[in-house]
Amino acid sequence: MSLFVLLDSKNLSEVKQVPLIVSGELKDFCEARLIDYKVLANPEKSDLKE
């Protein structure tokens, strides 16, 4: 619920439209596992499913 408040979103669909910045340990985690975290910065261009 706090994520919704921080992002000023009313539902999960709105949360999925907010660009995210990945840095620090999470970025390192993704890079070590070859996870493309950059798609999170442009949710409308990604193929993230509902």
Side-chain angles (χ1 to χ4, degrees):
M1 185 66 161
S2 59
L3 182 61
F4 287 75
V5 173
L6 289 171
L7 299 176
D8 192 33
S9 301
K10 296 173 188 69
N11 55 50
L12 189 55
S13 294
E14 289 182 11
V15 170
K16 290 182 178 182
Q17 297 305 311
V18 177
L20 298 178
I21 298 172
V22 178
S23 63
E25 289 183 27
L26 179 57
K27 181 181 174 193
D28 295 341
F29 177 90
C30 292
E31 288 175 340
R33 289 155 182 82
L34 302 176
I35 297 170
D36 187 9
Y37 60 88
K38 295 172 188 165
V39 298
L40 301 173
N42 296 305
E44 59 273 347
K45 292 184 179 181
S46 73
D47 58 353
L48 295 174
K49 305 297 181 207
E50 285 288 320

